[in-house]
Every structure is written in structure tokens, then in C-alpha cells.
Amino acid sequence: MPEISRRTFGGLLGGGAAAAVAGPAAAPAEAAERPFQARTAASPTGRPNFLVILGDDLGWADLSSYGAPHIRTPHLDRLARQGVRFTDAYSGSATCSPTRFSLYTGRYPGRTPGGLAEPVANRTQGLDPRHPTLASLLRKTGYATALIGKWHCGWLPDYSPTKSGWDEFFGNHGGVLEYFSKLGQLGDHDLYEGDAEYQDLRYYTTVLTERAVEYVGRKHTAPWLLNLNFTTPHWPWLAEGDAETGAEIAARIRAAKSQAEISNALNHYDGGSVAKYTEMVESLDAAVGEVLEALRRSGQEENTVVLFASDNGGERWSYLWPLSGEKFVLQEGGIRVPTIVRWPARIDGRQVSHEPVFTPDWTATLLELAGARPDPAYPLDGTSLTGYLLRGERLAERDLFWRVRANRALRRGDWKYYQDADGDDHLYDLGADLREQADLGPDRPELLAELKASWERIAAGLLPYPN
């Protein structure tokens, strides 16, 4: 077994060893993890299917396998035991839309005009249909592609998953909707099948789960990509038994006379609790469990890569300890997210990885696993993890970069450069200080200047924010 490094030790302290925190569904022996090591001999297999599942505003420690003391997520914990749990995985940004841009394109959100929106909030913003995407590139190589759930990269008539490479779409275009009526952030109905409105007044997580179960259970004649994007546990804070509260929120949306009033109704400022949030996360876990069981029954489990992650850090009711910050900021709590990968045909289970990775890496990885090539006119910003996952190749040290209007951040190894909303620069050693409390900038000014200069070199190649 490899020697445990300082970063590994810090990751175990920060993430919580699964043996200590896994829910009651896992016996201690079953939950024990070991440092990641690629399988030395793997039987060849055809091109895999890809099931990419996103939670919405799910915090880094909101799963019991990541340390939540009060939330039980047996299905996602089991998924982690069957694959690799990443402790140092990050979203592409600190908010919904930019991270989705980075997943769909494999590039920094600031490469495209729509990615500058934090988040996409009106009909003029979106992912240009001419831009290559994970789906369009896979489709060129013969993959079937579908997106079920939250798109949040633009509204009709100009933007839609079906305009950007997905053969099928069932879900919502916007960033938030009331879970029963399906009224969205623009105040209108936001549940679609393809480009046509679809009516279903049941709890949204249930509806999406049924669609995903149907998709993975089909008799597919080609490898497939399914992006399954839940809105759970994003506000409004509603669980399956809260239809009456949902109706009250829907009534406020219908009565709203401004965009601000619609947003206030959906944000549900007067609702929610730790108990309600727990119920929502546990319903997400149950939904994932249903989809994974359908995958098992279909006979496709062995050669399907399942990637589970969140689109950004948690907020309000999320359990983020020991991280600082939350959604919208580039402290660890805003961008470090739970991430699990399972591929029974090629990757052993019960493993934990402390390698720093972020959303664009997964785009590059899935493309390589499928034998698809990026468009040379749109070079990827992510690094494929295929060599690391399948052959045990060492990942070269590199810079992970984030930019939002209010913050900037860059990680290199254990070191993190962070500039806060006041424009003050900070330097943290995440291997020793996961909570980002000990600013080492005054002690290491040369390193701080070096990382800041690297951030500025990358930022210089991105689009400027509009005034």
C-alpha cells in the first residue's frame, strides 16, 4: 500500500474516513477504504456507457460517506464502496450554470459568453448551439445521448439540450422550479419533453427518477450517455409530502409582478430546516438508488461508468464541516464537492483518491474513454484522468483555476491562492489547513506572487465580464 502523504492524511481528517461515518447500511469491514490504485490487469471491454448524475447545491459533506452525522445516504455510500470516492474533487465554478458549461464543454466557463452568467437568468443567455459539447462529440462516434433534469444553460427558442448534441431531453431549462407545479424562475411553466411543454404535477424528483429508470432499462443498440441532473436538494425546500406548501409558493409566483418577487417566492426564505434538507438529500439518495438498481437489472452495470457529483458547494442548510464558505464563493465550501466514480469492468471498489480534480477533467476523461476527440478549435481545459484511473499513471502537478466576479482562486498541489471580495490575497496550505484559516501569504510572499501570476495568465485568455 502506498505511503500516506500529508495531503492524504489531511484528506482523511477532512473528508472523514468512510469506516467512521458510513450509515448503518454499511458494516465497518464493508466501508473500509484504501488509497487509490489502478487495477493492474483489466479485461478488455467495449466502449462504456456513461451515467453522469448531478445533485444540485449538494454540499461536500452532505453524504454520510463524506462525514454528515445526521444524513443517511446508503445508496450513494454503496456506490462509493463499489468505486472510488474523491476527497479533493471540485466543481467548475461556485454556481450552477458555469459548472454546467464547464461539464458540457470541458472548458473554463469564461471561454464562452453564456458561461459568464452566474447563473444564467434570462432568455438572452445560454450555451451557443454551435459550440462542441460532450454530447455532440460522443454522438459523432455513435453514442446515443440524453439529458434528463436540469439544463440551466439557456431557454427556448435559442437554447436547448436538443440543439447542443443531446438526442433526447426531458426536464427544465432554468435553474430552479417549484417541485410540483413546475413553475420556474421566469414565472412560467418549465417542464419539457424535447421542445414541447409537458404536464406532471407529481414531485419532480420522482418524475425524473421514473424517466431515468426507463432510459437505462431500454434495449440500447449503441453505447449511451445519460446526463441525469436532479434539482434536489436546491431550494425551494420541499419534500414529496409538501404539495400544499408547494401550492402556496406557486400561488405567490403567479401573483408576482416582478422578477424579484418570483425569485423571492422560489427562494423560500421563510421555509426549510436542517430536518427538511436532510429529507431532501435522503430522497435524492433513494432516487439514485432506484436508477442504479434499474441499471443492474438491465445487465449493463458492468460496463457503465457512473459519475456522481454536485454542481457546486452547498448553502444554507448544508453540512460543510470543516470547510469555510459556501455556494457563490471560491473558498473550499463553495467549490469542493462529493464525487464518486464506479466502473466495475475496469476499476476496483472501496478506494479513496486524494488527487485534486475538477469538472472539466471529467469531460476530457469521458471523451477519451469513448474514443472521441475534442474539436481542435475548442481545446479542452480539463485533463483526462484515464491514465490515472486505468493504468495508475501519476498525474502531473497542474493548476486548477476558478474565476467568479467576486473571487479568484487557484490550486497547485496543496497550495491555494485565494482573493476575497475585498481584493485581499491569501495563501493556504490545504494539506494542513483544510478550513483556510491560516493565511501563509506574509510568510511565503514569493509563492503567493507566483500563484497569483499564474492565475492572471490564465484569466488573460478568458472573456471579460460584461459591465
Side-chain angles (χ1 to χ4, degrees), residues 7 26 52 81 85 91 102 120 131 146 259 279 283 285 292 304 316 338 351 353-354 358 380 385 409 429 445-446 465:
R7 184 174 69 214
V52 182
R81 293 196 303 273
R85 185 177 69 90
S91 55
S102 70
V120 167
H131 195 296
Q259 188 62 57
E279 190 176 353
S283 76
D285 177 74
L292 294 179
T304 297
R316 202 176 306 187
Q351 300 197 80
S353 172
H354 307 288
F358 75 150
L380 304 181
L385 306 177
D429 178 1
E446 297 86 359
Y465 284 108

Side-chain angles (χ1 to χ4, degrees), residues 23-48:
E30 293 177 322
E33 294 175 323
R34 56 189 173 86
F36 176 77
Q37 186 173 359
R39 188 180 297 175
T40 54
S43 56
T45 182
R47 294 191 297 168

Side-chain angles (χ1 to χ4, degrees), residues 64-114:
S64 46
S65 53
Y66 277 81
H70 59 294
I71 304 175
R72 292 294 173 257
T73 52
H75 302 287
L76 286 164
D77 298 343
R78 185 179 304 113
L79 182 70
R81 293 196 303 273
Q82 294 170 340
V84 184
R85 185 177 69 90
F86 285 77
T87 64
D88 290 42
Y90 294 89
S91 55
S93 188
T95 53
C96 306
S97 291
T99 293
R100 293 164 200 272
F101 272 77
S102 70
L103 175 63
Y104 301 151
T105 68
R107 310 175 80 210
Y108 299 129
R111 298 282 187 204
T112 62

